[in-house]
Amino acid sequence: MVLPPPTNTLVTPLLTDLYQLTMAYAYWKSNRQNDPAVFELFFRKNPFGGEYTVFAGLDEVLKFLVNFRFSESDLDYLRNTPALGHCEDAFFDDYLANLTCADVKVNAMREGSLCFPRVPLLSVEGPLGITQLLETTLLTLVNYPSLIATNAARMVVAARGTGKHDDVASLSEGGVPTTPSRRPTKLPMLIEFGLRRAQGPDGGFSASKYAYVGGFDATSNVQAGKWLNVPIAGTHAHSFVQAHSSLDEAKGMTLKGKDGNDVE
């Protein structure tokens, strides 16, 4: 399988916890690095006190696995870091330098599936050494995306209800069905607008991506629109309003409507 590298260039074999490397060294030192092993990725509680979770992040997991390889600069760093000063040179030069995921098998739920506590989202099977080294990275590639997709799905349900359009009214406050005359004639559009308050650029990009997986219609994030082909949308800021002092400024001005005609 040929896949592009992970979207974020920080996602490399070094995006892991130190103890994964020290455990891998212990396996190698005791000649157990090739023992068969199976790791399962699961969670214990649904987020937000909810009844389900939306599985997301599989695409980045597969990119990471297919492109897994320690670079020369990775190996130079590991050889010279005091935390791994006790490791023999052969661990870096013979084992890590040639390590890939060629012998790793992954079984996973389909991305976007509903999942539940203690049910594996991923099952990773392969040699003990490499499967141990994958644990932290796979967790970080799945946990945050699934959290965002789940939150987005909950918002979609809150805004639109569940099932067919005619069923939207069944989710009114207090669980009392609304009458047909109160049903919305148009379902609301949900736009992700979190970039300015996200946990850095990657947190913002990932939120835009996985909110779309969770059912949102568009994002305000222009970069996500370009890279992911996600529709972009927006409104305007308070500064735009403050930059104008009167409606008279708009007199005589026109905009093109959806039908292509000018509208005052």
PDB file of all heavy atoms in Angstrom, residues 177-216:
ATOM      1  N   PRO A 177     -43.237  15.775  21.681  1.00  0.00           N
ATOM      2  CA  PRO A 177     -43.206  15.984  20.224  1.00  0.00           C
ATOM      3  C   PRO A 177     -43.856  17.305  19.838  1.00  0.00           C
ATOM      4  O   PRO A 177     -44.893  17.688  20.387  1.00  0.00           O
ATOM      5  CB  PRO A 177     -43.998  14.791  19.673  1.00  0.00           C
ATOM      6  CG  PRO A 177     -43.961  13.780  20.771  1.00  0.00           C
ATOM      7  CD  PRO A 177     -43.945  14.554  22.052  1.00  0.00           C
ATOM      8  N   THR A 178     -43.240  17.993  18.907  1.00  0.00           N
ATOM      9  CA  THR A 178     -43.833  19.233  18.411  1.00  0.00           C
ATOM     10  C   THR A 178     -44.872  18.923  17.357  1.00  0.00           C
ATOM     11  O   THR A 178     -44.873  17.853  16.760  1.00  0.00           O
ATOM     12  CB  THR A 178     -42.748  20.138  17.810  1.00  0.00           C
ATOM     13  OG1 THR A 178     -42.079  19.425  16.774  1.00  0.00           O
ATOM     14  CG2 THR A 178     -41.737  20.558  18.848  1.00  0.00           C
ATOM     15  N   THR A 179     -45.762  19.843  17.153  1.00  0.00           N
ATOM     16  CA  THR A 179     -46.806  19.645  16.150  1.00  0.00           C
ATOM     17  C   THR A 179     -46.239  19.898  14.766  1.00  0.00           C
ATOM     18  O   THR A 179     -45.239  20.602  14.614  1.00  0.00           O
ATOM     19  CB  THR A 179     -47.970  20.611  16.402  1.00  0.00           C
ATOM     20  OG1 THR A 179     -47.465  21.945  16.306  1.00  0.00           O
ATOM     21  CG2 THR A 179     -48.561  20.398  17.782  1.00  0.00           C
ATOM     22  N   PRO A 180     -46.863  19.326  13.725  1.00  0.00           N
ATOM     23  CA  PRO A 180     -46.353  19.528  12.361  1.00  0.00           C
ATOM     24  C   PRO A 180     -46.168  20.986  11.997  1.00  0.00           C
ATOM     25  O   PRO A 180     -45.244  21.344  11.282  1.00  0.00           O
ATOM     26  CB  PRO A 180     -47.429  18.855  11.500  1.00  0.00           C
ATOM     27  CG  PRO A 180     -48.020  17.822  12.391  1.00  0.00           C
ATOM     28  CD  PRO A 180     -48.005  18.420  13.769  1.00  0.00           C
ATOM     29  N   SER A 181     -47.045  21.870  12.509  1.00  0.00           N
ATOM     30  CA  SER A 181     -46.947  23.282  12.146  1.00  0.00           C
ATOM     31  C   SER A 181     -45.693  23.927  12.718  1.00  0.00           C
ATOM     32  O   SER A 181     -45.278  24.990  12.258  1.00  0.00           O
ATOM     33  CB  SER A 181     -48.185  24.035  12.650  1.00  0.00           C
ATOM     34  OG  SER A 181     -48.272  23.947  14.063  1.00  0.00           O
ATOM     35  N   ARG A 182     -45.081  23.316  13.741  1.00  0.00           N
ATOM     36  CA  ARG A 182     -43.887  23.883  14.366  1.00  0.00           C
ATOM     37  C   ARG A 182     -42.611  23.266  13.819  1.00  0.00           C
ATOM     38  O   ARG A 182     -41.521  23.625  14.232  1.00  0.00           O
ATOM     39  CB  ARG A 182     -43.950  23.682  15.893  1.00  0.00           C
ATOM     40  CG  ARG A 182     -45.040  24.495  16.574  1.00  0.00           C
ATOM     41  CD  ARG A 182     -45.144  24.121  18.043  1.00  0.00           C
ATOM     42  NE  ARG A 182     -43.879  24.320  18.738  1.00  0.00           N
ATOM     43  CZ  ARG A 182     -43.608  23.810  19.940  1.00  0.00           C
ATOM     44  NH1 ARG A 182     -44.515  23.066  20.552  1.00  0.00           N
ATOM     45  NH2 ARG A 182     -42.443  24.036  20.516  1.00  0.00           N
ATOM     46  N   ARG A 183     -42.721  22.309  12.932  1.00  0.00           N
ATOM     47  CA  ARG A 183     -41.523  21.698  12.375  1.00  0.00           C
ATOM     48  C   ARG A 183     -40.808  22.696  11.461  1.00  0.00           C
ATOM     49  O   ARG A 183     -41.447  23.439  10.720  1.00  0.00           O
ATOM     50  CB  ARG A 183     -41.882  20.446  11.578  1.00  0.00           C
ATOM     51  CG  ARG A 183     -42.346  19.292  12.465  1.00  0.00           C
ATOM     52  CD  ARG A 183     -42.829  18.133  11.641  1.00  0.00           C
ATOM     53  NE  ARG A 183     -43.284  17.041  12.477  1.00  0.00           N
ATOM     54  CZ  ARG A 183     -43.999  16.020  12.040  1.00  0.00           C
ATOM     55  NH1 ARG A 183     -44.357  15.968  10.778  1.00  0.00           N
ATOM     56  NH2 ARG A 183     -44.356  15.059  12.862  1.00  0.00           N
ATOM     57  N   PRO A 184     -39.462  22.706  11.528  1.00  0.00           N
ATOM     58  CA  PRO A 184     -38.732  23.656  10.686  1.00  0.00           C
ATOM     59  C   PRO A 184     -38.900  23.316   9.205  1.00  0.00           C
ATOM     60  O   PRO A 184     -38.949  22.155   8.826  1.00  0.00           O
ATOM     61  CB  PRO A 184     -37.275  23.465  11.128  1.00  0.00           C
ATOM     62  CG  PRO A 184     -37.221  22.085  11.709  1.00  0.00           C
ATOM     63  CD  PRO A 184     -38.569  21.866  12.337  1.00  0.00           C
ATOM     64  N   THR A 185     -39.031  24.345   8.380  1.00  0.00           N
ATOM     65  CA  THR A 185     -39.149  24.131   6.943  1.00  0.00           C
ATOM     66  C   THR A 185     -37.782  23.925   6.305  1.00  0.00           C
ATOM     67  O   THR A 185     -37.679  23.460   5.178  1.00  0.00           O
ATOM     68  CB  THR A 185     -39.836  25.329   6.282  1.00  0.00           C
ATOM     69  OG1 THR A 185     -39.079  26.513   6.574  1.00  0.00           O
ATOM     70  CG2 THR A 185     -41.255  25.499   6.817  1.00  0.00           C
ATOM     71  N   LYS A 186     -36.715  24.286   7.016  1.00  0.00           N
ATOM     72  CA  LYS A 186     -35.365  24.137   6.486  1.00  0.00           C
ATOM     73  C   LYS A 186     -34.432  23.721   7.612  1.00  0.00           C
ATOM     74  O   LYS A 186     -34.420  24.344   8.669  1.00  0.00           O
ATOM     75  CB  LYS A 186     -34.896  25.454   5.866  1.00  0.00           C
ATOM     76  CG  LYS A 186     -33.528  25.377   5.215  1.00  0.00           C
ATOM     77  CD  LYS A 186     -33.155  26.718   4.604  1.00  0.00           C
ATOM     78  CE  LYS A 186     -31.778  26.653   3.953  1.00  0.00           C
ATOM     79  NZ  LYS A 186     -31.392  27.976   3.372  1.00  0.00           N
ATOM     80  N   LEU A 187     -33.663  22.655   7.398  1.00  0.00           N
ATOM     81  CA  LEU A 187     -32.739  22.203   8.431  1.00  0.00           C
ATOM     82  C   LEU A 187     -31.594  23.198   8.585  1.00  0.00           C
ATOM     83  O   LEU A 187     -31.104  23.750   7.602  1.00  0.00           O
ATOM     84  CB  LEU A 187     -32.170  20.826   8.067  1.00  0.00           C
ATOM     85  CG  LEU A 187     -33.168  19.678   8.073  1.00  0.00           C
ATOM     86  CD1 LEU A 187     -32.492  18.388   7.653  1.00  0.00           C
ATOM     87  CD2 LEU A 187     -33.806  19.510   9.442  1.00  0.00           C
ATOM     88  N   PRO A 188     -31.153  23.449   9.821  1.00  0.00           N
ATOM     89  CA  PRO A 188     -30.077  24.416  10.036  1.00  0.00           C
ATOM     90  C   PRO A 188     -28.745  23.913   9.488  1.00  0.00           C
ATOM     91  O   PRO A 188     -28.481  22.711   9.441  1.00  0.00           O
ATOM     92  CB  PRO A 188     -30.016  24.558  11.561  1.00  0.00           C
ATOM     93  CG  PRO A 188     -30.585  23.276  12.075  1.00  0.00           C
ATOM     94  CD  PRO A 188     -31.633  22.870  11.082  1.00  0.00           C
ATOM     95  N   MET A 189     -27.925  24.847   9.061  1.00  0.00           N
ATOM     96  CA  MET A 189     -26.589  24.536   8.569  1.00  0.00           C
ATOM     97  C   MET A 189     -25.603  24.704   9.711  1.00  0.00           C
ATOM     98  O   MET A 189     -25.653  25.699  10.438  1.00  0.00           O
ATOM     99  CB  MET A 189     -26.246  25.477   7.416  1.00  0.00           C
ATOM    100  CG  MET A 189     -24.886  25.227   6.789  1.00  0.00           C
ATOM    101  SD  MET A 189     -24.626  26.358   5.389  1.00  0.00           S
ATOM    102  CE  MET A 189     -23.013  25.796   4.817  1.00  0.00           C
ATOM    103  N   LEU A 190     -24.705  23.747   9.893  1.00  0.00           N
ATOM    104  CA  LEU A 190     -23.728  23.808  10.977  1.00  0.00           C
ATOM    105  C   LEU A 190     -22.341  24.086  10.421  1.00  0.00           C
ATOM    106  O   LEU A 190     -21.851  23.362   9.547  1.00  0.00           O
ATOM    107  CB  LEU A 190     -23.706  22.500  11.767  1.00  0.00           C
ATOM    108  CG  LEU A 190     -24.915  22.305  12.707  1.00  0.00           C
ATOM    109  CD1 LEU A 190     -26.067  21.640  11.966  1.00  0.00           C
ATOM    110  CD2 LEU A 190     -24.525  21.479  13.926  1.00  0.00           C
ATOM    111  N   ILE A 191     -21.717  25.154  10.913  1.00  0.00           N
ATOM    112  CA  ILE A 191     -20.400  25.573  10.446  1.00  0.00           C
ATOM    113  C   ILE A 191     -19.421  25.551  11.608  1.00  0.00           C
ATOM    114  O   ILE A 191     -19.675  26.143  12.659  1.00  0.00           O
ATOM    115  CB  ILE A 191     -20.455  26.992   9.840  1.00  0.00           C
ATOM    116  CG1 ILE A 191     -21.487  27.059   8.715  1.00  0.00           C
ATOM    117  CG2 ILE A 191     -19.082  27.417   9.353  1.00  0.00           C
ATOM    118  CD1 ILE A 191     -21.751  28.470   8.222  1.00  0.00           C
ATOM    119  N   GLU A 192     -18.302  24.888  11.436  1.00  0.00           N
ATOM    120  CA  GLU A 192     -17.239  24.872  12.454  1.00  0.00           C
ATOM    121  C   GLU A 192     -16.459  26.172  12.357  1.00  0.00           C
ATOM    122  O   GLU A 192     -16.005  26.558  11.288  1.00  0.00           O
ATOM    123  CB  GLU A 192     -16.338  23.649  12.214  1.00  0.00           C
ATOM    124  CG  GLU A 192     -15.226  23.476  13.231  1.00  0.00           C
ATOM    125  CD  GLU A 192     -13.995  24.283  12.869  1.00  0.00           C
ATOM    126  OE1 GLU A 192     -13.697  24.402  11.658  1.00  0.00           O
ATOM    127  OE2 GLU A 192     -13.333  24.793  13.783  1.00  0.00           O
ATOM    128  N   PHE A 193     -16.292  26.848  13.528  1.00  0.00           N
ATOM    129  CA  PHE A 193     -15.691  28.177  13.550  1.00  0.00           C
ATOM    130  C   PHE A 193     -14.702  28.266  14.715  1.00  0.00           C
ATOM    131  O   PHE A 193     -14.635  29.280  15.414  1.00  0.00           O
ATOM    132  CB  PHE A 193     -16.792  29.229  13.723  1.00  0.00           C
ATOM    133  CG  PHE A 193     -16.531  30.555  13.064  1.00  0.00           C
ATOM    134  CD1 PHE A 193     -17.489  31.135  12.255  1.00  0.00           C
ATOM    135  CD2 PHE A 193     -15.336  31.229  13.269  1.00  0.00           C
ATOM    136  CE1 PHE A 193     -17.276  32.366  11.654  1.00  0.00           C
ATOM    137  CE2 PHE A 193     -15.110  32.454  12.684  1.00  0.00           C
ATOM    138  CZ  PHE A 193     -16.076  33.035  11.868  1.00  0.00           C
ATOM    139  N   GLY A 194     -13.931  27.201  14.962  1.00  0.00           N
ATOM    140  CA  GLY A 194     -13.133  27.126  16.184  1.00  0.00           C
ATOM    141  C   GLY A 194     -11.665  27.461  16.061  1.00  0.00           C
ATOM    142  O   GLY A 194     -10.931  27.386  17.045  1.00  0.00           O
ATOM    143  N   LEU A 195     -11.188  27.817  14.875  1.00  0.00           N
ATOM    144  CA  LEU A 195      -9.746  27.989  14.672  1.00  0.00           C
ATOM    145  C   LEU A 195      -9.140  29.002  15.627  1.00  0.00           C
ATOM    146  O   LEU A 195      -8.058  28.781  16.176  1.00  0.00           O
ATOM    147  CB  LEU A 195      -9.486  28.411  13.221  1.00  0.00           C
ATOM    148  CG  LEU A 195      -8.025  28.632  12.821  1.00  0.00           C
ATOM    149  CD1 LEU A 195      -7.210  27.353  13.020  1.00  0.00           C
ATOM    150  CD2 LEU A 195      -7.936  29.091  11.374  1.00  0.00           C
ATOM    151  N   ARG A 196      -9.813  30.103  15.854  1.00  0.00           N
ATOM    152  CA  ARG A 196      -9.236  31.166  16.681  1.00  0.00           C
ATOM    153  C   ARG A 196      -9.070  30.780  18.143  1.00  0.00           C
ATOM    154  O   ARG A 196      -8.306  31.414  18.868  1.00  0.00           O
ATOM    155  CB  ARG A 196     -10.105  32.430  16.587  1.00  0.00           C
ATOM    156  CG  ARG A 196     -11.523  32.221  17.074  1.00  0.00           C
ATOM    157  CD  ARG A 196     -12.376  33.469  16.883  1.00  0.00           C
ATOM    158  NE  ARG A 196     -12.351  33.917  15.509  1.00  0.00           N
ATOM    159  CZ  ARG A 196     -12.450  35.190  15.148  1.00  0.00           C
ATOM    160  NH1 ARG A 196     -12.585  36.131  16.066  1.00  0.00           N
ATOM    161  NH2 ARG A 196     -12.441  35.526  13.884  1.00  0.00           N
ATOM    162  N   ARG A 197      -9.782  29.746  18.588  1.00  0.00           N
ATOM    163  CA  ARG A 197      -9.677  29.333  19.998  1.00  0.00           C
ATOM    164  C   ARG A 197      -9.160  27.904  20.142  1.00  0.00           C
ATOM    165  O   ARG A 197      -9.227  27.328  21.227  1.00  0.00           O
ATOM    166  CB  ARG A 197     -11.044  29.455  20.676  1.00  0.00           C
ATOM    167  CG  ARG A 197     -11.521  30.894  20.771  1.00  0.00           C
ATOM    168  CD  ARG A 197     -12.766  31.035  21.596  1.00  0.00           C
ATOM    169  NE  ARG A 197     -13.174  32.428  21.708  1.00  0.00           N
ATOM    170  CZ  ARG A 197     -14.211  32.842  22.413  1.00  0.00           C
ATOM    171  NH1 ARG A 197     -14.952  31.969  23.080  1.00  0.00           N
ATOM    172  NH2 ARG A 197     -14.524  34.115  22.464  1.00  0.00           N
ATOM    173  N   ALA A 198      -8.657  27.346  19.079  1.00  0.00           N
ATOM    174  CA  ALA A 198      -8.205  25.954  19.107  1.00  0.00           C
ATOM    175  C   ALA A 198      -6.836  25.826  19.786  1.00  0.00           C
ATOM    176  O   ALA A 198      -6.140  26.814  20.018  1.00  0.00           O
ATOM    177  CB  ALA A 198      -8.137  25.407  17.690  1.00  0.00           C
ATOM    178  N   GLN A 199      -6.457  24.591  20.060  1.00  0.00           N
ATOM    179  CA  GLN A 199      -5.172  24.293  20.683  1.00  0.00           C
ATOM    180  C   GLN A 199      -4.071  24.302  19.631  1.00  0.00           C
ATOM    181  O   GLN A 199      -3.505  23.275  19.274  1.00  0.00           O
ATOM    182  CB  GLN A 199      -5.222  22.930  21.404  1.00  0.00           C
ATOM    183  CG  GLN A 199      -6.048  22.926  22.669  1.00  0.00           C
ATOM    184  CD  GLN A 199      -7.538  22.892  22.389  1.00  0.00           C
ATOM    185  OE1 GLN A 199      -7.967  22.477  21.320  1.00  0.00           O
ATOM    186  NE2 GLN A 199      -8.339  23.328  23.335  1.00  0.00           N
ATOM    187  N   GLY A 200      -3.772  25.486  19.134  1.00  0.00           N
ATOM    188  CA  GLY A 200      -2.711  25.636  18.146  1.00  0.00           C
ATOM    189  C   GLY A 200      -3.181  25.297  16.747  1.00  0.00           C
ATOM    190  O   GLY A 200      -4.316  24.859  16.524  1.00  0.00           O
ATOM    191  N   PRO A 201      -2.295  25.503  15.751  1.00  0.00           N
ATOM    192  CA  PRO A 201      -2.671  25.276  14.353  1.00  0.00           C
ATOM    193  C   PRO A 201      -3.148  23.858  14.069  1.00  0.00           C
ATOM    194  O   PRO A 201      -4.130  23.664  13.344  1.00  0.00           O
ATOM    195  CB  PRO A 201      -1.384  25.598  13.584  1.00  0.00           C
ATOM    196  CG  PRO A 201      -0.615  26.501  14.491  1.00  0.00           C
ATOM    197  CD  PRO A 201      -0.932  26.043  15.881  1.00  0.00           C
ATOM    198  N   ASP A 202      -2.452  22.857  14.616  1.00  0.00           N
ATOM    199  CA  ASP A 202      -2.872  21.491  14.322  1.00  0.00           C
ATOM    200  C   ASP A 202      -4.195  21.156  14.986  1.00  0.00           C
ATOM    201  O   ASP A 202      -5.035  20.469  14.401  1.00  0.00           O
ATOM    202  CB  ASP A 202      -1.805  20.486  14.769  1.00  0.00           C
ATOM    203  CG  ASP A 202      -2.203  19.067  14.396  1.00  0.00           C
ATOM    204  OD1 ASP A 202      -2.362  18.788  13.197  1.00  0.00           O
ATOM    205  OD2 ASP A 202      -2.388  18.246  15.310  1.00  0.00           O
ATOM    206  N   GLY A 203      -4.384  21.653  16.229  1.00  0.00           N
ATOM    207  CA  GLY A 203      -5.665  21.437  16.890  1.00  0.00           C
ATOM    208  C   GLY A 203      -6.802  22.057  16.102  1.00  0.00           C
ATOM    209  O   GLY A 203      -7.876  21.472  15.959  1.00  0.00           O
ATOM    210  N   GLY A 204      -6.541  23.253  15.544  1.00  0.00           N
ATOM    211  CA  GLY A 204      -7.559  23.918  14.753  1.00  0.00           C
ATOM    212  C   GLY A 204      -7.856  23.192  13.463  1.00  0.00           C
ATOM    213  O   GLY A 204      -9.020  23.009  13.074  1.00  0.00           O
ATOM    214  N   PHE A 205      -6.808  22.757  12.771  1.00  0.00           N
ATOM    215  CA  PHE A 205      -6.990  22.031  11.509  1.00  0.00           C
ATOM    216  C   PHE A 205      -7.707  20.706  11.752  1.00  0.00           C
ATOM    217  O   PHE A 205      -8.630  20.337  11.025  1.00  0.00           O
ATOM    218  CB  PHE A 205      -5.639  21.795  10.847  1.00  0.00           C
ATOM    219  CG  PHE A 205      -5.724  21.073   9.534  1.00  0.00           C
ATOM    220  CD1 PHE A 205      -5.973  21.758   8.357  1.00  0.00           C
ATOM    221  CD2 PHE A 205      -5.570  19.695   9.474  1.00  0.00           C
ATOM    222  CE1 PHE A 205      -6.074  21.092   7.140  1.00  0.00           C
ATOM    223  CE2 PHE A 205      -5.665  19.013   8.274  1.00  0.00           C
ATOM    224  CZ  PHE A 205      -5.910  19.723   7.099  1.00  0.00           C
ATOM    225  N   SER A 206      -7.277  19.978  12.781  1.00  0.00           N
ATOM    226  CA  SER A 206      -7.901  18.694  13.082  1.00  0.00           C
ATOM    227  C   SER A 206      -9.368  18.872  13.451  1.00  0.00           C
ATOM    228  O   SER A 206     -10.227  18.067  13.071  1.00  0.00           O
ATOM    229  CB  SER A 206      -7.156  17.995  14.222  1.00  0.00           C
ATOM    230  OG  SER A 206      -5.839  17.670  13.836  1.00  0.00           O
ATOM    231  N   ALA A 207      -9.674  19.934  14.199  1.00  0.00           N
ATOM    232  CA  ALA A 207     -11.068  20.181  14.579  1.00  0.00           C
ATOM    233  C   ALA A 207     -11.917  20.456  13.348  1.00  0.00           C
ATOM    234  O   ALA A 207     -13.052  19.973  13.239  1.00  0.00           O
ATOM    235  CB  ALA A 207     -11.141  21.351  15.556  1.00  0.00           C
ATOM    236  N   SER A 208     -11.384  21.221  12.401  1.00  0.00           N
ATOM    237  CA  SER A 208     -12.123  21.493  11.166  1.00  0.00           C
ATOM    238  C   SER A 208     -12.397  20.202  10.408  1.00  0.00           C
ATOM    239  O   SER A 208     -13.498  19.970   9.897  1.00  0.00           O
ATOM    240  CB  SER A 208     -11.330  22.461  10.279  1.00  0.00           C
ATOM    241  OG  SER A 208     -11.100  23.689  10.937  1.00  0.00           O
ATOM    242  N   LYS A 209     -11.381  19.366  10.336  1.00  0.00           N
ATOM    243  CA  LYS A 209     -11.496  18.107   9.592  1.00  0.00           C
ATOM    244  C   LYS A 209     -12.504  17.165  10.235  1.00  0.00           C
ATOM    245  O   LYS A 209     -13.412  16.638   9.551  1.00  0.00           O
ATOM    246  CB  LYS A 209     -10.121  17.433   9.537  1.00  0.00           C
ATOM    247  CG  LYS A 209     -10.114  16.075   8.872  1.00  0.00           C
ATOM    248  CD  LYS A 209      -8.705  15.509   8.850  1.00  0.00           C
ATOM    249  CE  LYS A 209      -8.660  14.152   8.176  1.00  0.00           C
ATOM    250  NZ  LYS A 209      -7.264  13.627   8.098  1.00  0.00           N
ATOM    251  N   TYR A 210     -12.394  16.955  11.540  1.00  0.00           N
ATOM    252  CA  TYR A 210     -13.197  15.921  12.174  1.00  0.00           C
ATOM    253  C   TYR A 210     -14.579  16.412  12.585  1.00  0.00           C
ATOM    254  O   TYR A 210     -15.474  15.600  12.813  1.00  0.00           O
ATOM    255  CB  TYR A 210     -12.420  15.294  13.325  1.00  0.00           C
ATOM    256  CG  TYR A 210     -11.217  14.540  12.803  1.00  0.00           C
ATOM    257  CD1 TYR A 210      -9.917  15.003  13.002  1.00  0.00           C
ATOM    258  CD2 TYR A 210     -11.385  13.389  12.037  1.00  0.00           C
ATOM    259  CE1 TYR A 210      -8.816  14.330  12.473  1.00  0.00           C
ATOM    260  CE2 TYR A 210     -10.294  12.712  11.508  1.00  0.00           C
ATOM    261  CZ  TYR A 210      -9.020  13.187  11.732  1.00  0.00           C
ATOM    262  OH  TYR A 210      -7.941  12.518  11.191  1.00  0.00           O
ATOM    263  N   ALA A 211     -14.780  17.734  12.639  1.00  0.00           N
ATOM    264  CA  ALA A 211     -16.141  18.239  12.777  1.00  0.00           C
ATOM    265  C   ALA A 211     -16.939  17.904  11.518  1.00  0.00           C
ATOM    266  O   ALA A 211     -18.133  17.588  11.578  1.00  0.00           O
ATOM    267  CB  ALA A 211     -16.129  19.747  13.024  1.00  0.00           C
ATOM    268  N   TYR A 212     -16.272  17.958  10.380  1.00  0.00           N
ATOM    269  CA  TYR A 212     -16.915  17.586   9.116  1.00  0.00           C
ATOM    270  C   TYR A 212     -17.258  16.095   9.112  1.00  0.00           C
ATOM    271  O   TYR A 212     -18.336  15.693   8.673  1.00  0.00           O
ATOM    272  CB  TYR A 212     -15.998  17.937   7.951  1.00  0.00           C
ATOM    273  CG  TYR A 212     -16.638  17.863   6.588  1.00  0.00           C
ATOM    274  CD1 TYR A 212     -17.669  18.725   6.237  1.00  0.00           C
ATOM    275  CD2 TYR A 212     -16.209  16.927   5.646  1.00  0.00           C
ATOM    276  CE1 TYR A 212     -18.266  18.671   4.982  1.00  0.00           C
ATOM    277  CE2 TYR A 212     -16.798  16.868   4.385  1.00  0.00           C
ATOM    278  CZ  TYR A 212     -17.821  17.736   4.063  1.00  0.00           C
ATOM    279  OH  TYR A 212     -18.401  17.666   2.822  1.00  0.00           O
ATOM    280  N   VAL A 213     -16.345  15.261   9.623  1.00  0.00           N
ATOM    281  CA  VAL A 213     -16.628  13.824   9.756  1.00  0.00           C
ATOM    282  C   VAL A 213     -17.846  13.614  10.647  1.00  0.00           C
ATOM    283  O   VAL A 213     -18.681  12.728  10.397  1.00  0.00           O
ATOM    284  CB  VAL A 213     -15.403  13.081  10.339  1.00  0.00           C
ATOM    285  CG1 VAL A 213     -15.756  11.633  10.687  1.00  0.00           C
ATOM    286  CG2 VAL A 213     -14.241  13.115   9.354  1.00  0.00           C
ATOM    287  N   GLY A 214     -17.976  14.449  11.702  1.00  0.00           N
ATOM    288  CA  GLY A 214     -19.095  14.313  12.629  1.00  0.00           C
ATOM    289  C   GLY A 214     -20.413  14.849  12.121  1.00  0.00           C
ATOM    290  O   GLY A 214     -21.429  14.740  12.819  1.00  0.00           O
ATOM    291  N   GLY A 215     -20.422  15.439  10.926  1.00  0.00           N
ATOM    292  CA  GLY A 215     -21.692  15.840  10.335  1.00  0.00           C
ATOM    293  C   GLY A 215     -21.855  17.318  10.051  1.00  0.00           C
ATOM    294  O   GLY A 215     -22.905  17.730   9.539  1.00  0.00           O
ATOM    295  N   PHE A 216     -20.853  18.148  10.385  1.00  0.00           N
ATOM    296  CA  PHE A 216     -20.969  19.576  10.079  1.00  0.00           C
ATOM    297  C   PHE A 216     -20.961  19.789   8.561  1.00  0.00           C
ATOM    298  O   PHE A 216     -20.450  18.970   7.807  1.00  0.00           O
ATOM    299  CB  PHE A 216     -19.826  20.348  10.729  1.00  0.00           C
ATOM    300  CG  PHE A 216     -20.135  20.833  12.121  1.00  0.00           C
ATOM    301  CD1 PHE A 216     -20.716  19.994  13.065  1.00  0.00           C
ATOM    302  CD2 PHE A 216     -19.846  22.131  12.501  1.00  0.00           C
ATOM    303  CE1 PHE A 216     -21.007  20.436  14.341  1.00  0.00           C
ATOM    304  CE2 PHE A 216     -20.125  22.585  13.774  1.00  0.00           C
ATOM    305  CZ  PHE A 216     -20.714  21.741  14.698  1.00  0.00           C
TER     306      PHE A 216
END
